[in-house]
Amino acid sequence: MKILVIEDEYKLAEYLKRALTEHNHIVDIAHEGIGGLHLAREGQYDLIMLDVMLPDVDGYFVLRSLRQNSTIPILMLTAQGKVEDRVKGLHEGADDYLVKPFALSELLARVLALGRRGISDASETPNSNLLCVADLELDLLRRRASRAGKKLDLTAKEFALLALLMRRQGEVFSRLALAEQVWDINFNSNTNVVEVAVRRLRGKIDDPFEKKLLRTVRGMGYVLEPSND
Ligand code: CA
C-alpha cells in the first residue's frame, strides 16, 4: 500500500516509515497539516495516517478538507486519554483511530484492515461519510441520522455510539468495550450507563419500526445488523 503519514513528531514519523517500509508499504511523510493535505490530494495514496495535534492546522481540519471529495481510508493518531478526539474523529469521517503509544503489531493490523476496507468501499459505497444499515442512515459529515427517511434526534453520545455500531455492523460489543470506546471509562462493575444509553438509542432507532436492528446478545453485549426476518 502507498501510505501518507501526517505527523509532526519527527521520531514517531521516522519510526512509522521504517516499520511500514519493512512490511512492504511505500511511505511518505508530511510534518505539517497543509503540506500533508497537498500531498494527499496529489499522491494517490491507499491510506492516510493523521495526527491530531499538528503545528499549523489541526488534524480535524485536514480530515474535513479531505472528506469533501475523498473516501480514502484515514487512521487518526490520538493522544492517550483523549476520548473526545476519537469520537470527534469518527464523527468527522475518520475510519479508525490509534491511541499513542501503540504497539507495532496493532498498527500493522489496523493498516491491513483499513486497506481491505478501502478496496471493498471503492466497489460498494462511494461515500464513506454515509453509514447505512438496512434503512438506517448516518451522515457523519452533516451529523444527521434517519431511519426509513424519518429524521432521528440523537445526542452526541448516542451519535457516537451508533456510529461505532454501524461502522462495525455484525460485530458484538460488550458493555465494557462500549464504555471504553464511547465514554472512555474503565468500568470494573458498573456498566449501567451503557445499558441506559443503548435503551434510549433503541427507543429512537428501533422502537417505532417493525424491523429491529439493535439486538442484545444475551451474556455478551450488543450488535447492530439487519434483521433476518
Ligand atoms: Ca503531534
Side-chain angles (χ1 to χ4, degrees):
M1 272 198 277
K2 194 176 173 198
I3 301 172
L4 175 62
V5 175
I6 305 177
E7 166 62 72
D8 62 317
E9 288 168 51
Y10 280 72
K11 274 189 179 168
L12 179 58
E14 280 306 319
Y15 169 76
L16 289 172
K17 178 167 185 169
R18 196 162 5 102
L20 291 165
T21 305
E22 273 172 19
H23 287 80
N24 301 317
H25 300 292
I26 299 163
V27 180
D28 287 336
I29 294 176
H31 295 293
E32 292 181 352
I34 296 297
L37 202 48
H38 287 308
L39 270 180
R41 285 181 172 148
E42 292 160 8
Q44 300 283 314
Y45 294 96
D46 302 303
L47 171 71
I48 294 176
M49 300 181 61
L50 178 59
D51 186 28
V52 172
M53 296 291 286
L54 294 166
D56 49 353
V57 293
D58 70 12
Y60 302 118
F61 177 85
V62 176
L63 177 63
R64 280 193 296 272
S65 305
L66 285 171
R67 276 291 173 257
Q68 285 173 7
N69 53 15
S70 169
T71 61
I72 183 170
I74 298 176
L75 176 64
M76 300 290 286
L77 304 175
T78 69
Q80 195 169 26
K82 293 219 172 168
V83 71
E84 294 309 324
D85 283 356
R86 289 177 241 164
V87 172
K88 191 173 175 192
L90 293 177
H91 275 171
E92 301 202 6
D95 294 276
D96 205 349
Y97 58 82
L98 207 51
V99 179
K100 298 180 196 176
F102 42 78
L104 183 57
S105 56
E106 189 184 7
L107 168 77
L108 293 170
R110 301 287 179 90
V111 166
L112 278 183
L114 285 175
R116 278 196 295 270
R117 201 181 298 172
I119 290 161
S120 62
D121 273 1
S123 57
E124 288 164 14
T125 51
N127 181 1
S128 74
N129 295 319
L130 191 64
L131 300 176
C132 301
V133 175
D135 55 358
L136 179 63
E137 287 188 2
L138 202 63
D139 187 327
L140 298 169
L141 267 189
R142 294 178 187 79
R143 312 271 184 112
R144 284 185 201 143
S146 68
R147 175 124 196 231
K150 184 175 174 291
K151 186 175 175 295
L152 306 170
D153 278 318
L154 303 182
T155 65
K157 281 288 185 221
E158 287 165 352
F159 193 98
L161 179 60
L162 187 57
L164 177 66
L165 291 167
M166 288 180 77
R167 273 183 188 286
R168 307 219 199 143
Q169 62 170 293
E171 191 175 321
V172 178
F173 284 90
S174 67
R175 289 172 185 81
L176 186 63
L178 291 177
E180 286 178 350
Q181 296 201 37
V182 180
W183 282 266
D184 200 28
I185 314 173
N186 290 299
F187 291 82
N188 289 320
S189 54
N190 184 4
T191 50
N192 191 40
V193 64
V194 177
E195 289 182 52
V196 170
V198 168
R199 201 180 310 140
R200 289 214 178 110
L201 179 61
R202 189 178 267 148
K204 294 179 181 180
I205 67 165
D206 265 355
D207 286 354
F209 300 93
E210 191 185 337
K211 296 208 170 185
K212 311 301 180 195
L213 300 174
L214 180 51
R215 288 193 300 118
T216 300
V217 182
R218 199 177 292 268
M220 295 187 62
Y222 305 102
V223 62
L224 188 99
E225 60 188 357
S227 56
N228 294 319
D229 44 37

